[in-house]
Amino acid sequence: MLCHIRAERLKWRGTFIPKLVWLAPVFTMLLCAILMGGRLFQSGAYNWWYTMLLPGALTLTCSLALHKDAKMKYRGLLALPVDLKTLWTGKIIACAEWLLVTILLFLVGITFGGILFGQTIPLLNSMAGSFLIFVTFLWQIPLCLFLAARLGLFAAVLLNMFGNVMGVVAFDTGGLWDFMPYTITARLMCPVLSILPNGLPVPVDSPLRSTELILPDALISLAWFGLLSLLTALWFRKQEAK
């Protein structure tokens, strides 16, 4: 599996993916610093990060990670004496590594930004928030790879961004929305970072401050990740050169 992951990363040379891993967090923090003048820098940057810029960057990365193989109608992959499920899993893991690195870079930047502009989020909370963002975004990787393979880059970005926006709008609606993975990240940031998706602080007496749902929501996200990884891998296994 390691060789397949390395092969995926080699394909990224000459693409925008290696630059995007640091451009996404840097742009987020610069945007927040410019628009807010450093005021509430950390909370503002986190909101821009998980609601808009990280979903867009992740979708773009997944689409570009598939572009070279899709352009060749997957002939290069189909010629290999390897199960296509394994190759698809390698793509998912490579994109998950990209996600982890860009989130770590954001965490480092947001920590230094707090020192510069004033810390509004404790370091442990920031670390916990970044970890939960990673866990609750993993499921989007197989979904975005599938959307890019079936519909192309533009449609994948459009659909996934629409889902993320809807998740932010309906994160506290309750009912079946609690099981929709798009709502989970915004809901978990309330007790961990004490900020709402609109950047305002969570009221002290709000039920959104409860930490009881952190573990169940994280497990739901991981379950979605496992299910979508399996289903998309089975779908990719059936692909044939055209």
Side-chain angles (χ1 to χ4, degrees):
M1 179 60 70
L2 288 176
C3 62
H4 300 308
I5 298 171
R6 293 193 192 100
E8 288 300 322
R9 289 199 294 261
L10 285 173
K11 294 177 187 176
W12 295 355
R13 292 183 178 179
T15 71
F16 194 55
I17 296 176
K19 296 182 180 66
L20 195 59
V21 74
W22 59 267
L23 276 176
V26 168
F27 178 77
T28 303
M29 288 178 281
L30 286 177
L31 180 66
C32 186
I34 293 171
L35 292 181
M36 304 182 70
R39 182 174 175 270
L40 300 176
F41 171 80
Q42 288 184 312
S43 58
Y46 261 112
N47 278 98
W48 280 101
W49 181 237
Y50 77 82
T51 60
M52 294 292 292
L53 294 170
L54 181 59
L58 179 61
T59 309
L60 184 58
T61 294
C62 292
S63 300
L64 292 175
L66 200 69
H67 179 70
K68 286 186 177 180
D69 292 323
K71 192 175 181 180
M72 298 175 62
K73 306 296 183 182
Y74 307 111
R75 292 187 180 93
L77 298 181
L78 294 167
L80 297 174
V82 181
D83 190 341
L84 290 180
K85 284 175 61 179
T86 302
L87 298 176
W88 185 261
T89 302
K91 289 183 180 296
I92 292 174
I93 296 175
C95 290
E97 290 179 346
W98 179 96
L99 176 64
L100 178 61
V101 172
T102 197
I103 286 176
L104 288 175
L105 291 175
F106 178 82
L107 176 61
V108 171
I110 205 74
T111 301
F112 280 102
I115 296 173
L116 180 62
F117 296 111
Q119 188 176 30
T120 57
I121 299 175
L123 179 58
L124 289 179
N125 292 66
S126 187
M127 293 173 65
S130 292
F131 173 74
L132 288 173
I133 289 173
F134 173 71
V135 169
T136 57
F137 264 72
L138 280 173
W139 69 271
Q140 295 190 34
I141 293 173
L143 175 65
C144 291
L145 287 170
F146 174 77
L147 291 175
R150 291 299 302 243
L151 305 174
L153 185 152
F154 179 77
V157 173
L158 185 65
L159 290 173
N160 196 49
M161 288 301 298
F162 176 77
N164 277 279
V165 170
M166 288 300 299
V168 169
V169 172
F171 80 100
D172 64 341
T173 303
L176 291 177
W177 281 103
D178 287 344
F179 298 94
M180 297 300 293
Y182 280 116
T183 66
I184 291 176
T185 305
R187 191 160 58 246
L188 293 188
M189 292 305 102
C190 292
V192 175
L193 301 181
S194 299
I195 51 175
L196 296 167
N198 59 8
L200 297 176
V202 182
V204 177
D205 58 346
S206 173
L208 292 173
R209 282 186 175 268
S210 173
T211 59
E212 294 180 358
L213 293 179
I214 292 179
L215 181 58
D217 278 349
L219 293 177
I220 290 173
S221 291
L222 291 175
W224 274 104
F225 174 61
L227 178 62
L228 289 173
S229 295
L230 176 62
L231 292 177
T232 55
L234 291 173
W235 165 81
F236 190 71
R237 193 180 192 181
K238 297 178 182 179
Q239 300 306 297
E240 298 180 356
K242 299 180 181 178

